[in-house]
Amino acid sequence: MRTELRNVSKVYHFDGRADHHDVQALASLSLTIAEGELACIVGPSGCGKSTILNLVAGLERPTTGEVLFGDAPVAGPGPDRVLVFQAYTLFPWLTARENIEFGLRSLRLPADERRRRVDRELARVGLNGFARAYPHELSGGMQQRVAIARALTMEPRALLMDEPFAALDAQTRNLMQEDLLTALGREPKTMIFVTHSVDEALFLADTVTVLSARPARMLDHIRIDLPRPRKRTSRDLNELRERILAQLAEQVRLAERGNVPWGS
Amino acid sequence: MGLLADTRKGDTASTPDAPSPRVVRSVARLLRLESSDVRRNAVSAASVIVLLVIWQIIADLRLFEQTLFPEPRGIVQSYHYWWANGGLATGLSISLRRMVMAYALSLAIGIPIGMLIGRFPLADWTLGTVVRLLQPIPGIAWVPLAVVWFTSVSESAKIFIVITGGVFPVLVSTSAGVRTVPPAYLRVARTLGVRGLGLFTWVVFPATIPSIVAGMRISWAFCWRSLMAAEIVLAARTGPGQEGLGGLIAVARQLDQINTAGMVMVTLAAVGLLIDGLVFHAVERRIRRRRGLTE
Ligand SMILES: Nc1ncnc2c1ncn2[C@@H]1O[C@H](COP(=O)(O)OP(=O)(O)OP(=O)(O)O)[C@@H](O)[C@H]1O
Ligand SMILES: [Mg+2]
């Protein structure tokens, strides 16, 4: 399924506050992600990356413009586009298994099909032995594995990842990236992966989209055709890394000088 | 030879005047009061005993007239008396039956209304306003209305009064809990395709359970208070214990049996402590453990 943002802008209103002002998170942004593509989006903090995912997930509505999934405009959340959040968002009253099974209740599947899917996802993220553990008994990395399994068990057409590994240490993060690619290796799935980390984007992506400071504009769109698994320090990736880091640094510098308006 | 033996003794620290490290350690552990439950309960029990002894000593000083000041020994005699004629057992069982009934109704009314008020602004502005108006009225102030509506000898009148005391804490606690459900949980559920009533039953309700249990705990205590008020004021039937524990207090007042009043008060405290400790404390701890809210 193709995902497309057409001239999308998004304004957040802070109502009910004395110093209320509106925030323009996106201004007329257009972006297309092809079917089966692993698209990474990088950009300075607060530029509107999460907003993009929330729009595609149907949790937010665009102020103007259109968000399309396939050929139809996104009308609301749906199990065909599942969002994985940055912070740990497992339900603390459910075990790992019950968390993974959570969304299946809304699909009204028979019990044995539910069990089959949950077992499959537990195995896929390597948590067979922790099915009965409660979230607080799991490490941060394990919790994010459960969150990813909880999304995959819905068999969505697109997986939307909002900095899912941001809270993990560097080694765990690398491992999770490798595992994610292995886990998905056999079924190419559309994935929109937002990250702060240029390294992460270069390691994972088919395409990297670089966004400007808020309101986000597309600064660069890079297709990476290198085979996986990639060597993180290969010459090609190093060159791309320098290019993207320079673009991002420029954005931060502009923002510091006040050339980029922070409220409009 | 002797020197050698002595040294060995000293090493293993088994002489009576040099306590073994293990004893030292366990004494040290006993003195660190914060740890185990056993120790905590032992210290609590000891403090109650000390209280009783001081109480008896003051009573024995005869500073007050005996008929005005209940004393432990007299209360024990009252227990004998009311146990023998069955009044205590009857009173306790009648009061507990009313409690269970009124408490269950309080929860059945309070929890759903609390959830509605917490979740929907419109319910808050309407129902919530009514709740905020009625909440400050103590159970005892409802007595005249209860008498007219249900007649004073009826069970319904007393149960109604207990509900007026018990319904609000759990209601308010529930609505506060619903308001503080992390929005992230709702977003997760929605992106997983859960909508409408499912959000309520699978996310809002389980997320609110700790607040509901905290409210249930307070409601239980409030039900006891209102029940005593109702039973004392509306004591109608005669016969030992026929009007519940509150009825016994009413009898004690009429007959100037100050120790009977003391006995009922001790009983109330004991039952309250027992239920709170055995049921609520245990349930709360279990929930906290499971959700990783303990240290
Ligand atoms: N629900 C909201 N209400 C009001 N303002 C919001 C809301 N969500 C986001 N914003 C604002 O919109 C802008 C973009 O937010 P967004 O979360 O999309 O940024 P981001 O690129 O994901 O940032 P980060 O990298 O720090 O996660 C920010 O200035 C933020 O303050
Ligand atoms: Mg974000």
Side-chain angles (χ1 to χ4, degrees), chain B residues 2 9 14 45-46 54 159 168 177 210 216 224 229 246 248 259:
Chain B
K9 256 191 193 169
S14 57
I54 294 174
I159 286 173
F168 293 110
M216 284 170 65
W224 266 121
L248 286 181
N259 281 322

Side-chain angles (χ1 to χ4, degrees), chain B residues 32-80:
Chain B
R32 264 189 294 120
L33 295 176
E34 81 276 12
S35 20
S36 118
D37 272 2
V38 179
R39 218 168 308 130
R40 202 184 86 175
N41 291 341
V43 173
S44 299
S47 68
V48 171
I49 291 171
V50 170
L51 176 75
L52 287 175
V53 170
I54 294 174
W55 182 5
Q56 188 64 58
I57 290 172
I58 292 175
D60 284 341
L61 291 177
R62 294 278 176 269
L63 296 175
F64 312 96
E65 213 169 320
Q66 245 173 310
T67 51
L68 297 182
F69 197 66
E71 47 158 359
R73 220 181 287 121
I75 289 175
V76 171
Q77 281 162 8
S78 292
Y79 269 113
H80 274 302

Side-chain angles (χ1 to χ4, degrees), chain A residues 38 124 152 159 179-189 191:
Chain A
L38 203 171
R124 201 209 294 259
L152 288 174
L159 200 54
D179 287 356
L180 181 70
L181 290 180
T182 330
L184 297 174
R186 262 150 279 130
E187 42 182 300
K189 190 179 278 288
M191 180 146 71

